Amino acid sequence: MKKGIIAVVTTIATLAAPGMGVAFAGTGNTGYTVQTGDTMYKIAVANDVPLPALELANPQIQNPASIYPGEEITLPTPYVVAPGDTLYKIANTHGVSLAALEAANPQITNVTNLQIGQTVFLPIPVSYSAPSASAPSAPSGASVSASSGSGTSTVSTSSTTSQNTGASISADALLRQNILNYAQSLIGIRYAWGGSTPATGFDCSGFVQYVFAHFGISLPRQSHDQATVGTPVAQASLLPGDLLFFTDTDSYASQYANHVTHVGIYMGNGNMIESSSANNGEGVVIVHNVFANPYYTAHYYGARDVLE
């Protein structure tokens, strides 16, 4: 299936007339039937599509970490960039939000300078769509700014509107959900001291660094250093995607000024996802009701928002 997508993209990109982008919804590999042992991450890799685009194309899947054999999922639609294209223009033409399009394509390192012939993946179907494909272009004098690292985007004019503010908030929430979806796709990968990839296994900070790097967010390698970046967050103000830090959880704590030795990603509703060395190295797991857990509350150091 991966070769099929690449072949279609290459052929149509070659034949496309100048000035015309090519989207091929409904042609060839638009669907996939889940096989035994599949995860969203494995399917994305096998089909050479970004994991966020695959997840956004399937809003009917409530838990991307739990898919079952025989389930039908939609592959995101590839689009070949044409002369004059911008992400804003592509989003409007295809009826998806700019924020969703950016989040679906973390492989695009410069969202303000697309390359002709470059492939952009449209997260279709997607629940974060613009009102219609015929939505008007940005008003005269408007500027479009974007950040590939945060997945946020705004359209600014001479008068700031509440609609623009809402779009920015929505983009932040979308990025946070994508981070959690990606983190959950790694559930079950074993714990390994010093591990920082799915192949080697993860320790706690290696897992966090790996997940955030997938979205262009660079974090220090070790938990005690990760606890020094971003913005402190009060427990009552936690948002999904914030980092939770814990102290004195191993014998190396005295080496660090802040004694931080463990980190996890807050999921909302009191839950956390982490790579755990407990239970013979169970690895990436979800900890439910973390603030009701005596061990975690006794060692809790604080939280940081590293997305700002």
Side-chain angles (χ1 to χ4, degrees):
M1 192 169 292
K2 175 179 177 180
K3 292 181 179 178
I5 289 181
I6 295 175
V8 174
V9 171
T10 303
T11 301
I12 298 185
T14 301
L15 298 177
M20 294 180 62
V22 180
F24 14 118
T27 63
N29 302 302
T30 60
Y32 177 84
T33 302
V34 176
Q35 307 297 311
T36 301
D38 272 344
T39 65
M40 293 292 275
Y41 177 73
K42 287 182 180 179
I43 295 169
V45 170
N47 290 281
D48 201 25
V49 299
L51 177 61
L54 183 65
E55 292 172 347
L56 284 170
N58 292 275
Q60 79 284 1
I61 298 178
Q62 299 299 313
N63 184 359
S66 180
I67 54 178
Y68 55 86
E71 187 173 7
E72 295 293 331
I73 64 174
T74 301
L75 297 179
T77 303
Y79 172 88
V80 178
V81 174
D85 271 343
T86 64
L87 281 185
Y88 181 79
K89 179 180 178 182
I90 295 169
N92 272 348
T93 300
H94 294 277
V96 300
S97 73
L98 177 59
L101 191 61
E102 288 180 354
N105 290 275
Q107 79 284 1
I108 298 178
T109 57
N110 188 348
V111 296
T112 62
N113 185 27
L114 297 181
Q115 303 299 309
I116 296 172
Q118 183 177 12
T119 300
V120 174
F121 290 91
L122 305 175
I124 299 174
V126 61
S127 59
Y128 309 92
S129 61
S132 70
S134 59
S137 301
S140 176
S143 62
V144 179
S145 62
S147 168
S148 59
S150 66
T152 59
S153 59
T154 58
V155 179
S156 59
T157 64
S158 56
S159 60
T160 304
T161 66
S162 59
Q163 183 177 10
N164 288 336
T165 302
S168 179
I169 294 172
S170 175
D172 179 74
L174 178 61
L175 174 61
R176 290 174 182 274
Q177 186 57 56
N178 283 334
I179 288 171
L180 293 181
N181 289 347
Y182 186 61
Q184 289 178 86
S185 75
L186 302 171
I187 285 176
I189 291 179
R190 66 186 179 90
Y191 180 88
W193 179 267
S196 57
T197 70
T200 62
F202 294 113
D203 63 15
C204 63
S205 55
F207 169 65
V208 168
Q209 184 189 53
Y210 184 86
V211 168
F212 280 79
H214 182 79
F215 297 92
I217 301 166
S218 179
L219 294 176
R221 174 60 183 84
Q222 298 190 39
S223 58
H224 64 272
D225 290 325
Q226 291 174 357
T228 66
V229 301
T231 305
V233 180
Q235 185 174 325
S237 302
L238 284 169
L239 292 175
D242 288 341
L243 300 185
L244 304 182
F245 295 95
F246 304 87
T247 60
D248 299 301
T249 62
D250 63 37
S251 59
Y252 295 94
S254 61
Q255 298 181 16
Y256 318 123
N258 57 15
H259 281 223
V260 169
T261 50
H262 187 64
V263 60
I265 305 172
Y266 186 64
M267 302 182 70
N269 299 318
N271 301 326
M272 173 180 73
I273 186 167
E274 64 173 5
S275 183
S276 172
S277 60
N279 302 320
N280 296 317
E282 61 188 354
V284 180
V285 294
I286 294 175
V287 178
H288 296 281
N289 299 316
V290 64
F291 294 113
N293 183 306
Y295 177 82
Y296 286 103
T297 54
H299 293 273
Y300 184 61
Y301 174 79
R304 312 282 292 194
D305 178 359
V306 297
L307 300 182
E308 294 186 348

